[in-house]
Amino acid sequence: MTLRLSVLALLLPVSAFAADRCVLSDPALSVQSYHVDAKRERIVTYWKNKDGEAWESIRNLLNDIDSNGRVQMVMNGGIYDKSYAPLGLYIENGRKRVPLNRASGGGNFFIRPGGVFYLKGQKAAIVSLDQFTSSKGVDYAVQSGPLLIQNGNINPRLLASASSRKIRNAVGITSQGQVVFMLSAGATNFFDFACYAKSKLAIRQMLYLDGTISAMYQKGGSIPWQYHPFVSMIAVEAQPGDR
């Protein structure tokens, strides 16, 4: 039996095993991550304040909403357009503020498959655009692209040899269903970012959010300096009674 299995393994193409492992082209890469405790924390998104003005920075957001210290983590959300509005679907508190964008175009947002990170209650999911069929019952949603990992497989469009290296942030879901927010500590390409998340953080679904301008705040740490405004931001907040 052992010999037969060994021969079979030799006959199978390498691609049959490629989904199970990856090798970083930059072994020195490190990634800052925040693992959400679903029992004690909730995930929300922010764009504009009660006066209809965008907060634009993590500092402004914290100054306005965090007087009671409930915010545990904040990072920038999905890619935005030239008018400083989310480029794709954006839902906040059950209200759809920007519709799903199925258009084609240039840039990271349009690399396929694109995806949506959404929450119904605090049940989180990351799905491709084709899988997102209805926004009914969705409390929060951010569309971006590309999907870096889908069902445990790194997007085949992401090449280890890619020369484009930037600071990048993303949201992922582990094989145990835990939501993880990630920010690369240095410039990286898509493949290495995904490979790190898959191999070191057990990420099974991963959606790229943005790059270059990306930043993350974690409670107790310093508020990152920003040279460019953010549009949507994703926050993790302590549930009432857990602060």
Side-chain angles (χ1 to χ4, degrees):
M1 179 64 74
T2 302
L3 177 61
R4 185 178 179 183
L5 288 175
S6 298
V7 172
L8 178 60
L10 290 172
L11 293 175
L12 286 172
V14 174
S15 60
F17 302 95
D20 294 331
R21 60 181 181 270
C22 62
V23 178
L24 290 168
S25 67
D26 177 14
L29 174 66
S30 63
V31 172
Q32 182 181 1
S33 60
Y34 188 91
H35 297 246
V36 179
D37 182 346
K39 294 181 179 179
R40 304 183 62 181
E41 298 172 332
R42 70 183 195 124
I43 303 168
V44 295
T45 65
Y46 291 98
W47 177 15
K48 296 180 178 180
N49 61 26
K50 61 184 178 181
D51 297 320
E53 298 178 350
W55 274 285
E56 295 188 336
S57 73
I58 292 175
R59 184 175 299 276
N60 288 344
L61 181 66
L62 292 174
N63 286 342
D64 201 8
I65 71 167
D66 197 36
S67 60
N68 59 2
R70 71 178 186 269
V71 177
Q72 309 299 301
M73 190 286 306
V74 183
M75 66 162 39
N76 51 304
I79 296 169
Y80 53 89
D81 63 21
K82 293 181 180 179
S83 66
Y84 291 94
L87 187 54
L89 179 70
Y90 181 77
I91 298 174
E92 183 179 326
N93 280 328
R95 177 186 171 194
K96 186 190 295 184
R97 296 193 172 188
V98 179
L100 196 71
N101 184 348
R102 296 187 183 275
S104 299
N108 295 329
F109 181 88
F110 296 103
I111 297 174
R112 294 297 183 244
V116 176
F117 168 64
Y118 71 90
L119 296 113
K120 289 186 175 181
Q122 281 302 295
K123 184 177 180 181
I126 295 173
V127 298
S128 68
L129 297 184
D130 292 340
Q131 293 172 317
F132 190 82
T133 57
S134 173
S135 59
K136 184 177 180 180
V138 172
D139 296 298
Y140 296 93
V142 172
Q143 178 186 351
S144 195
L147 279 175
L148 302 183
I149 301 175
Q150 188 174 18
N151 300 324
N153 299 320
I154 294 176
N155 188 333
R157 290 183 171 85
L158 312 183
L159 303 178
S161 60
S163 61
S164 177
R165 294 181 177 271
K166 301 186 183 293
I167 300 290
R168 303 183 189 277
N169 71 308
V171 57
I173 299 178
T174 69
S175 53
Q176 289 76 40
Q178 186 177 30
V179 177
V180 181
F181 293 99
M182 295 159 279
L183 174 73
S184 65
T188 184
N189 62 22
F190 281 145
F191 179 86
D192 274 358
F193 196 23
C195 182
Y196 185 103
K198 175 184 170 70
S199 61
K200 299 182 182 295
L201 300 175
I203 299 298
R204 185 167 174 79
Q205 313 289 341
M206 183 179 182
L207 178 65
Y208 176 67
L209 291 174
D210 208 346
T212 305
I213 66 170
S214 300
M216 175 192 287
Y217 162 81
Q218 292 193 40
K219 186 174 183 177
S222 60
I223 300 174
W225 178 258
Q226 291 179 229
Y227 294 95
H228 301 281
F230 291 164
V231 177
S232 67
M233 287 179 273
I234 304 174
V236 178
E237 301 178 352
Q239 296 279 14
D242 281 322
R243 289 190 286 275

